[in-house]
Amino acid sequence: SLLKVLEEPSESSTIFLLDHQSNFIPSTITSRCHSFLMSPLSKEDNIKVLEQTNYENKDTNLEFFSDISNGSPGEGIKYMKANADKLYDKVCLYYRGLTNNYDSQILELQKILENKNKKENLDIFFQLLQYLFLKTIYLKENILINYFLNNEEDAINRLNKELSMQKLLHILDIIREKFNTYEVYSLNIENTLMSTLIKINNLILGK
């Protein structure tokens, strides 16, 4: 087990453990380690790394993948392999055309989970949701936005028009709460997606 390896390492070994959520690491592990806080790469350096791994598709918007990966090339590569830009376009299209009869629209969006990587896609979906609403807050606060993707500008303009700052912050809380609850209690993936979207939709549509 990992604990035994940490307790009895060979004399010639140095073991590195990397994590992005230290609060989920058991104290039995952390108490046997020295902790170092690593700063994320700058946007420019992150894009350079992504450029080297994205030689097959020169049309990819690397700035987008750098932004959603928060300075982590590993996360950026994961998002590129999952075609997160195409998924994000579907999310933007969904919010651009959201109506009171949104049941069929949710079912259409749920199709993103119809493959063997359901859990990873849900993780990415929550990250993209957060990214969209954060970018809407930037627009509301008159913070410069350097670029928009496909349906993104229309979606963000609509959200900015219909939502107050208080509601936008509340939606970010909903996204974090739903994702954390899903992670801690291993909830059903489809139900997690459905309940998150319904709660956000009702705020947007004033229900």
Side-chain angles (χ1 to χ4, degrees):
S1 71
L2 177 60
L3 187 58
K4 183 171 178 58
V5 171
L6 293 175
E7 287 178 334
E8 302 174 6
S10 63
E11 291 185 4
S12 59
S13 296
T14 301
I15 302 169
F16 292 90
L17 304 177
L18 304 179
D19 78 86
H20 299 284
Q21 292 181 304
S22 299
N23 51 312
F24 288 116
I25 307 297
S27 58
T28 51
I29 300 295
T30 57
S31 64
R32 290 166 172 80
C33 301
H34 294 288
S35 296
F36 300 92
L37 183 62
M38 310 294 289
S39 299
L41 293 182
S42 68
K43 186 172 187 173
E44 293 74 19
D45 288 340
N46 198 15
I47 288 176
K48 285 179 183 178
V49 176
L50 296 178
E51 278 178 338
Q52 294 173 10
T53 60
N54 191 53
Y55 53 87
E56 293 180 353
N57 187 359
K58 299 299 182 183
D59 295 328
T60 300
N61 189 319
L62 296 178
E63 188 172 5
F64 166 74
F65 287 105
S66 176
D67 285 346
I68 62 171
S69 62
N70 296 316
S72 169
E75 288 292 290
I77 292 168
K78 180 183 79 173
Y79 292 133
M80 286 196 295
K81 287 181 177 178
N83 295 314
D85 53 343
K86 293 181 175 60
L87 172 54
Y88 184 61
D89 187 55
K90 290 181 180 179
V91 172
C92 292
L93 191 61
Y94 170 83
Y95 281 109
R96 189 187 77 172
L98 185 66
T99 67
N100 283 301
N101 300 315
Y102 55 67
D103 289 352
S104 60
Q105 293 171 295
I106 289 180
L107 292 175
E108 186 65 27
L109 200 56
Q110 269 192 319
K111 290 180 180 178
I112 64 172
L113 301 178
E114 292 178 357
N115 64 46
K116 62 183 180 181
N117 295 319
K118 281 186 177 183
K119 184 181 183 304
E120 180 176 297
N121 279 354
L122 186 68
D123 293 349
I124 293 172
F125 177 77
F126 271 101
Q127 181 68 25
L128 294 176
L129 266 187
Q130 182 172 267
Y131 178 76
L132 175 64
F133 286 100
L134 276 172
K135 212 162 178 180
T136 305
I137 288 175
Y138 295 161
L139 181 64
K140 190 171 285 294
E141 290 290 288
N142 297 314
I143 297 173
L144 178 65
I145 297 176
N146 293 323
Y147 66 91
F148 289 103
L149 303 180
N150 298 336
N151 294 293
E152 182 185 30
E153 186 170 10
D154 288 340
I156 288 177
N157 282 331
R158 178 188 177 178
L159 294 171
N160 179 50
K161 181 180 178 181
E162 297 188 8
L163 294 170
S164 65
M165 178 62 76
Q166 183 179 6
K167 283 189 175 181
L168 284 167
L169 294 173
H170 185 30
I171 286 173
L172 287 179
D173 287 338
I174 289 171
I175 294 169
R176 295 187 189 105
E177 176 195 345
K178 288 286 186 180
F179 183 72
N180 289 337
T181 303
Y182 158 75
E183 288 270 281
V184 172
Y185 297 105
S186 301
L187 301 180
N188 177 274
I189 290 176
E190 286 82 1
N191 290 346
T192 298
L193 176 63
M194 178 78 78
S195 63
T196 302
L197 290 176
I198 289 174
K199 200 161 186 180
I200 293 173
N201 291 352
N202 289 342
L203 265 176
I204 295 173
L205 299 171
K207 291 188 175 183

